[in-house]
Amino acid sequence: MTCYDVLVAGGGPAGAAAALTLARAGRSVLLAHSGRGPAPVGEALPAAARVLLGDLGADDALTDGHLPCLANRSAWGGPRLASTDSVFDPHGHGWHLDRVRFDRQLRAHARTQGARLATGVTAQPNGRTADGSWVVELRGAGERRTVRCRWLIDATGRRAALATACGARRRTGDRLVALHLTLGPADPADPDTTTTVEAAPDGWWYTAPLPTGRRLLVWYTDADLPAADPGRPAFAARLAATRHILELAARHPWPAGAAPRRAPAHTARLADPTGDGWIAAGDAAAAFDPLSSQGILTALYTGLAAGRAVHARLVGQADALDAYRADLAAIGATYLRNHRTHYAAEQRWPDHPFWRRRHPPPGGGGHPTLVAIPGPSPHMPG
């Protein structure tokens, strides 16, 4: 039975960052990438990611196949569209990612540094040996095999599959859901290179161009509200009521017969992101409101930090996990302050359930479980 220092479950940015960090530190690593579920759609990556990618030794992950994001625009707190240009960002411009390509590039970097990659498999812990090693079953298409490892890193996304299997408790803070649709290529090519956010009575819209020439269109609302109807007629009617998003979407054809797909976007976190022999990173540790536009940035950061924490623990640094937990707690506290401020800036529909839930009552309240990388968001006003 093959034995590794660490098994990382999840081949997205968090898992790849953790595997890359550990492999560069000389650890034997198996990165288990299931490749299941719908392919990730495009996403904007802030310019600050240059620093993290440099720390990971993956500076060239953005050199090919991605579209520069030159400005972030928002109609928030009023109908006027405000813009923040990348020329004012010390790190330069951000990117509209080809997510499939980006994730694949990061996994390739991890392999180059010595990590083993198992694709098309899921990891299922099946107990531990007398010396504390994990026994993990890898299941794929017609394949089952067992490996051992000293540590597990859960980067399986919001499911937190390994952590919850180990008894971790998952907490949620809201009911946010995303209804997303990818529009066809514009003819002629759409010149827009921005991300655009527009608040509405029962939620908010997000749109951005994709490197393929297509356009991503997303409606965010709460899953229990009538506005969460995923039907194409309801989606189109809400879009028609927008002032700025409709103008951008109108440049692109709707795929024949296509309807919006629904995806979870709610706030969630583990009560404790670490345990005996395991640690969680990315959305498995903490997932938060997409308004911050820092999901991938957080995934890269927590993957890097989790990898460093596990390596430090393996060399005998007893407080390595305490430092990781404290880091995530500080990140959460900073984000909570920003989140309250940014949602409070939109006061046009105070009696609508979506906004009322996000406006804390006098004296406090709000969303105590939100977690994200600290710092101002390009999509949040202020």
Side-chain angles (χ1 to χ4, degrees):
M1 186 187 302
T2 307
C3 186
Y4 298 90
D5 288 329
V6 185
L7 184 146
V8 181
L20 179 53
T21 299
L22 287 158
R24 295 179 74 200
R27 293 292 171 188
S28 59
V29 185
L30 177 64
L31 175 58
H33 172 52
S34 71
R36 297 181 180 176
V41 294
E43 193 166 342
L45 184 66
R50 295 180 194 271
V51 177
L52 285 173
L53 291 171
D55 290 342
L56 288 165
D59 309 66
D60 60 346
L62 294 167
T63 57
D64 186 31
H66 309 290
L67 182 68
C69 177
L70 302 181
N72 298 289
R73 307 187 303 174
S74 62
W76 197 271
R80 184 179 65 86
L81 197 61
S83 180
T84 302
D85 197 287
S86 64
V87 71
F88 300 109
D89 192 315
H91 299 292
H93 65 74
W95 297 267
H96 301 291
L97 294 180
D98 178 333
R99 269 297 308 276
V100 173
R101 186 184 188 94
F102 180 70
D103 292 3
R104 186 171 60 241
Q105 289 169 322
L106 289 178
R107 291 193 297 270
H109 273 285
R111 287 187 65 184
T112 299
Q113 292 297 321
R116 290 285 305 276
L117 177 62
T119 58
V121 300
T122 58
Q124 176 65 49
N126 277 348
R128 306 177 79 170
T129 62
D131 66 358
S133 295
W134 290 96
V135 178
V136 182
E137 184 177 31
L138 301 178
R139 302 177 182 177
E143 175 191 14
R144 283 195 180 188
R145 59 191 173 98
T146 302
V147 298
R148 291 172 56 191
C149 63
R150 299 169 66 186
W151 273 81
L152 296 171
I153 295 183
D154 187 346
T156 60
R158 291 175 182 271
R159 295 182 302 120
L162 297 192
T164 52
C166 294
R169 290 178 295 133
R170 192 79 166 148
R171 295 176 177 172
T172 59
D174 56 60
R175 303 170 185 175
L176 195 67
V177 66
L179 303 179
H180 60 93
L181 180 68
T182 300
L183 304 178
D187 186 20
D190 190 342
D192 179 58
T193 60
T194 69
T195 61
T196 304
V197 166
E198 182 173 348
D202 298 303
W204 55 276
W205 288 90
Y206 168 89
T207 189
L210 299 175
T212 58
R214 299 175 183 271
R215 173 169 290 277
L216 177 63
L217 193 60
V218 190
W219 165 243
Y220 291 99
T221 189
D222 285 339
D224 63 322
L225 297 180
D229 181 351
R232 179 166 170 163
F235 188 84
R238 288 191 296 270
L239 176 63
T242 64
R243 179 171 180 175
H244 307 287
I245 301 295
L246 178 62
E247 178 183 351
L248 294 166
R251 303 172 187 172
H252 296 256
W254 284 50
R261 294 199 328 228
R262 183 165 168 153
H266 60 274
T267 297
R269 68 174 176 88
L270 294 179
D272 191 335
T274 71
D276 183 15
W278 65 267
I279 189 170
D283 281 355
F288 47 90
D289 194 319
L291 186 63
S292 68
S293 187
Q294 294 180 324
I296 297 181
L297 193 67
T298 303
L300 293 172
Y301 175 78
T302 56
L304 171 67
R308 287 176 172 173
V310 170
H311 175 65
R313 189 68 181 84
L314 286 170
V315 298
Q317 187 174 323
D319 63 347
L321 301 188
D322 294 336
Y324 182 74
R325 286 193 293 266
D327 196 11
L328 288 185
I331 287 169
T334 301
Y335 180 76
L336 179 57
R337 290 193 298 271
N338 288 341
H339 179 271
R340 287 172 174 166
T341 298
H342 299 317
Y343 269 104
E346 180 53 84
Q347 294 286 341
R348 285 178 287 174
W349 307 283
D351 294 330
H352 285 240
F354 180 86
W355 297 102
R356 188 169 63 244
R357 293 169 179 177
R358 286 156 177 82
H359 293 161
H367 299 270
T369 61
L370 291 172
V371 180
I373 290 291
S377 161
H379 292 163
M380 292 183 173

